[in-house]
Amino acid sequence: MMKSLLEGTVVIACILIASSPNAGGQRCNGGASCIPLNECTGLHAQLQKGNTPQLTQLLRSLHCGFQGTDLPMICCPPEFLGGGQTSSISMRNGSPLNLLPNSHICGIQNNDRIVGGIQADIDEHPWMALIRYDKPVGWGFYCGGVLISARYVLTAAHCVKGADLPTTWRLSQVRLGEWNTSSNVDCVHDDCSGPVQDIPVEDIIAQENYDPQDTQQHHDIAMLRLAYNAQFNDFVKPICLPVTNELRNSYFEGFDLEVAGWGKTETQDAGSDSQPIFSGTNLAGTESDVKLKVRVPVVSLNQCASVYQRVSRTIVPTQICAGGVQGQDSCRGDSGGPLMGQAPSANNWVVVGVVSYGPAPCGTQGWPGVYTRVGAYIDWILSKLRP
């Protein structure tokens, strides 16, 4: 056993030396500590059981330097210290609901203070996530998402396996706690956020029935499992899922909901009689430095279906539509982000939809945006959660 463990460590050391010659001095996020690999007992124990491509990729993403000339060091997540086995696939506590934050944690922000969007406060919507893609040259944020637990981010399936997603891009990590992407430290007057949390993605889980080649874009929902737990604070918190029967079956007609993100802003006047080109499956980089928000009215499914049948799009009950107001809409770069609102019976914020597609120009009068209805996929989400 000692021999195989040593061999595994040497193999990983060689991989890290070859792939990350300049990683020394990298700063760790999310409460992780840069320590020798053999002291990160949880990950070390997994390596002892045998190396896998997934484990190699995880260790590469956590690499933060070397001790001496050849002992690899990694950003060890707190839960992997002390021999923790948090990556066990088995469910120890019965219901998967136990893996979600309760109503005392999720959907709570400190105050109540996109196209046509207004600037969101620095600590508003602390569950918002940016998804990073590594490209052959450089990297960028090309989709959004929403934190639903310490370990999982909800996003759109077209953000992880879309037909227009270049094969040379690699979805590598999620950024939490961001407000202004152009500054290292975000402050409004004397209110400053802490450092962002850039957490590697351990697993990508697209809804199995999603077909990237199907222009209807049904089942456009996915989950990202983070390599280690996000650390909750005033600027990083999860949103609630619509898990009650009332919320999971609701279409929220008559409600004004909110969309947030760093997407493109447009002011073109397309006119109500136009038949616009649809965006959403083609990924575009975030174009606003600062997080924006906009309120949009929910449109009935029948009304939405009658609009979209003009361009041979079928709206189904697993979707929800909102917007259709001139100049107020989600837009390119917002894909995968949340359509959200406060639950009628509580103050907690709930994610109602995931940005899927909509008209281009964004915010075209009479053409609402289309979102994947999260309530329709609660059982699927719960089936994918693991400790």
Side-chain angles (χ1 to χ4, degrees):
M1 187 66 70
M2 181 60 71
K3 180 180 179 182
S4 63
L5 174 60
L6 180 60
E7 288 175 348
T9 304
V10 170
V11 169
I12 293 297
C14 292
I15 291 173
L16 294 178
I17 290 171
S19 63
S20 304
N22 299 316
Q26 174 182 321
R27 299 177 66 178
C28 299
N29 292 297
S33 304
C34 186
I35 61 176
L37 173 58
N38 63 340
E39 294 180 15
C40 188
T41 51
L43 280 176
H44 208 194
Q46 291 190 30
L47 182 59
Q48 186 174 355
K49 296 175 184 177
N51 187 30
T52 64
Q54 293 78 15
L55 184 56
T56 297
Q57 182 175 332
L58 174 61
L59 289 168
R60 279 177 173 170
S61 65
L62 297 177
H63 182 220
C64 58
F66 291 94
Q67 187 177 79
T69 57
D70 57 2
L71 184 61
M73 301 178 72
I74 64 168
C75 291
C76 184
E79 58 266 35
F80 284 110
L81 292 170
Q85 299 297 315
T86 57
S87 290
S88 171
I89 296 179
S90 63
M91 178 69 67
R92 293 188 294 271
N93 297 320
S95 171
L97 285 170
N98 292 329
L99 297 177
L100 293 174
N102 62 41
S103 60
H104 297 292
I105 298 174
C106 70
I108 297 174
Q109 60 185 13
N110 293 340
N111 56 23
D112 278 331
R113 14 170 235 200
I114 308 185
V115 173
I118 60 173
Q119 184 171 300
D121 285 342
I122 191 170
D123 52 1
E124 197 170 8
H125 303 326
W127 35 80
M128 294 296 298
L130 282 163
I131 298 176
R132 168 174 162 160
Y133 299 80
D134 292 340
K135 304 185 292 184
V137 179
W139 59 272
F141 297 119
Y142 289 90
C143 268
V146 62
L147 189 69
I148 61 171
S149 76
R151 204 63 182 268
Y152 286 91
V153 167
L154 197 64
T155 188
H158 77 258
C159 288
V160 306
K161 57 180 293 186
D164 293 321
L165 185 64
T167 57
T168 55
W169 290 15
R170 183 175 70 87
L171 193 162
S172 59
Q173 64 185 33
V174 165
R175 173 168 290 185
L176 303 170
E178 183 62 279
W179 181 65
N180 186 343
T181 59
S182 67
S183 61
N184 292 326
V185 178
D186 296 338
C187 294
V188 175
H189 304 301
D190 59 349
D191 187 11
C192 296
S193 65
V196 297
Q197 297 181 36
D198 289 322
I199 304 181
V201 171
E202 179 181 88
D203 196 11
I204 298 172
I205 311 159
Q207 216 287 334
E208 293 79 3
N209 294 317
Y210 175 76
D211 180 359
Q213 304 303 324
D214 184 359
T215 59
Q216 301 297 332
Q217 292 299 296
H218 296 158
H219 312 293
D220 190 9
I221 191 169
M223 294 168 62
L224 305 177
R225 177 176 166 85
L226 305 180
Y228 50 84
N229 287 351
Q231 302 301 302
F232 296 162
N233 55 47
D234 286 346
F235 305 95
V236 176
K237 293 179 184 177
I239 198 170
C240 299
L241 289 173
V243 293
T244 66
N245 287 333
E246 176 188 8
L247 291 176
R248 70 161 66 187
N249 294 319
S250 177
Y251 287 85
F252 299 92
E253 290 185 22
F255 284 84
D256 284 348
L257 299 178
E258 202 155 296
V259 185
W262 292 262
K264 182 178 177 63
T265 59
E266 292 181 340
T267 57
Q268 296 96 319
D269 184 358
S272 59
D273 295 329
S274 66
Q275 292 191 356
I277 300 170
F278 291 91
S279 63
T281 55
N282 54 325
L283 301 187
T286 56
E287 299 198 31
S288 170
D289 291 339
V290 178
K291 180 167 47 179
L292 302 176
K293 65 176 182 178
V294 64
R295 294 191 72 80
V296 288
V298 175
V299 174
S300 73
L301 217 59
N302 288 338
Q303 179 182 346
C304 188
S306 67
V307 171
Y308 277 92
Q309 69 179 0
R310 289 190 269 166
V311 287
S312 302
R313 297 261 180 154
T314 303
I315 302 298
V316 295
T318 56
Q319 295 170 311
I320 188 171
C321 300
V325 179
Q326 182 67 41
Q328 298 181 23
D329 199 0
S330 55
C331 202
R332 292 189 294 277
D334 293 323
S335 283
L339 176 69
M340 54 195 161
Q342 288 177 284
S345 57
N347 291 323
N348 302 72
W349 284 78
V350 176
V351 54
V352 170
V354 171
V355 178
S356 183
Y357 68 89
C362 310
T364 299
Q365 179 72 33
W367 290 84
V370 181
Y371 303 77
T372 304
R373 188 169 67 85
V374 175
Y377 293 91
I378 291 299
D379 290 336
W380 175 80
I381 292 170
L382 294 177
S383 74
K384 300 302 179 183
L385 297 178
R386 55 189 175 92

